[in-house]
Amino acid sequence: MQYRSKFASEKTDAFFEAILALDNLEDCYRFFEDVCTAAEIVAMAQRVEVAKMLLDNYTYQDIATLTGVSSATISRVKRSLMYGADGYQRTLGKLLKQEENVKKAKEQ
């Protein structure tokens, strides 16, 4: 079964296709600096950091202390991890596999 977002539309499809067309970090920085405010970029980066920490079983208090994010943000990310579309898990899982592959390649 293919996932279909409640936000799906021609415009959001085109937006995500533009993101998929980005080739590297420089492209990402350039695109997102044009599309988002600095605060939006920082907030999204913080949410990903919080998701990683929650998946690594950090406590809310540890996450708040280490990142400076509010308990409301931590709760929002936790809710997404529990009841969302599995976007954090799928993406962070892919990143973990990439890191493992790089580590293995360096060991050979």
Side-chain angles (χ1 to χ4, degrees), residues 60-76:
Y60 275 42
Q61 183 61 47
D62 289 341
I63 295 169
T65 300
L66 293 168
T67 65
V69 300
S70 69
S71 60
T73 296
I74 299 167
S75 292
R76 185 178 308 117

Side-chain angles (χ1 to χ4, degrees), residues 73-92:
T73 296
I74 299 167
S75 292
R76 185 178 308 117
V77 173
K78 178 72 171 184
R79 233 180 355 266
S80 292
L81 288 170
M82 293 177 66
Y83 306 110
D86 293 331
Y88 284 119
Q89 293 93 328
R90 290 169 59 101
T91 303
L92 294 174

Side-chain angles (χ1 to χ4, degrees), residues 24-94:
N24 52 48
L25 279 175
E26 181 181 345
D27 284 353
C28 289
Y29 276 104
R30 288 174 178 271
F31 180 75
F32 282 95
E33 284 180 28
D34 285 351
V35 171
C36 301
T37 66
E40 290 167 333
I41 293 169
V42 169
M44 288 186 284
Q46 285 178 328
R47 289 179 196 142
V48 171
E49 181 181 20
V50 168
K52 285 181 191 177
M53 295 175 84
L54 286 167
L55 291 169
D56 286 338
N57 297 312
Y58 281 73
T59 66
Y60 275 42
Q61 183 61 47
D62 289 341
I63 295 169
T65 300
L66 293 168
T67 65
V69 300
S70 69
S71 60
T73 296
I74 299 167
S75 292
R76 185 178 308 117
V77 173
K78 178 72 171 184
R79 233 180 355 266
S80 292
L81 288 170
M82 293 177 66
Y83 306 110
D86 293 331
Y88 284 119
Q89 293 93 328
R90 290 169 59 101
T91 303
L92 294 174
K94 288 177 184 181

